[in-house]
């Protein structure tokens, strides 16, 4: 197992949000792959769509109002794991 943070993407199976969760996982791995220990898809129910880094929630559909774009999640993840990192076009 690699060192680094663990990202969990909790998604609702009843709402069919697996593809959305899988796409977000792919986006995060594309940008942060070498810096992450793991990106886990965690099935759930009740309309859940929540993204957490080492237990710290960085997005919750119910609290934040809907679904995030990839750029917003990448910025929030960066702010937790590597605050000084430049994300290139995502930051512009």
């Amino acid at each position: 197992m690699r060192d680094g943070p663990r990202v969990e993407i909790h998604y609702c199976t009843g709402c069919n949000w697996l593809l959305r969760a899988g796409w977000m996982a792919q986006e995060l791995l594309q940008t942060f792959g070498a810096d992450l220990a793991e990106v886990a898809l965690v099935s759930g129910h009740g309309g859940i769509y929540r993204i957490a880094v080492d237990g710290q929630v960085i997005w919750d559909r119910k609290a934040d109002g809907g679904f995030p774009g990839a750029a917003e999640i990448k910025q929030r993840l960066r702010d937790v794991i590597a605050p000084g990192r430049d994300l290139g076009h995502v930051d512009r």
Side-chain angles (χ1 to χ4, degrees):
M1 185 164 154
R2 291 192 313 209
D3 289 335
R6 180 177 196 263
V7 176
E8 293 181 345
I9 302 174
H10 298 257
Y11 67 95
C12 179
T13 56
C15 301
N16 294 315
W17 290 338
L18 173 60
L19 288 177
R20 182 185 300 272
W23 171 77
M24 187 61 74
Q26 178 182 331
E27 286 290 320
L28 297 179
L29 287 167
Q30 181 91 24
T31 301
F32 298 101
D35 299 325
L36 301 175
E38 178 179 14
V39 175
L41 300 178
V42 183
S43 62
H45 51 82
I48 191 170
Y49 190 84
R50 182 173 54 234
I51 302 172
V53 182
D54 291 335
Q56 177 184 344
V57 176
I58 61 170
W59 187 271
D60 184 287
R61 184 186 70 81
K62 292 178 181 176
D64 291 303
F67 296 99
E72 183 161 9
I73 290 303
K74 288 177 183 183
Q75 289 169 336
R76 289 185 183 200
L77 177 58
R78 181 269 319 272
D79 291 348
V80 172
I81 68 170
R85 181 176 177 171
D86 179 19
L87 292 176
H89 73 279
V90 172
D91 281 332
R92 295 180 205 4

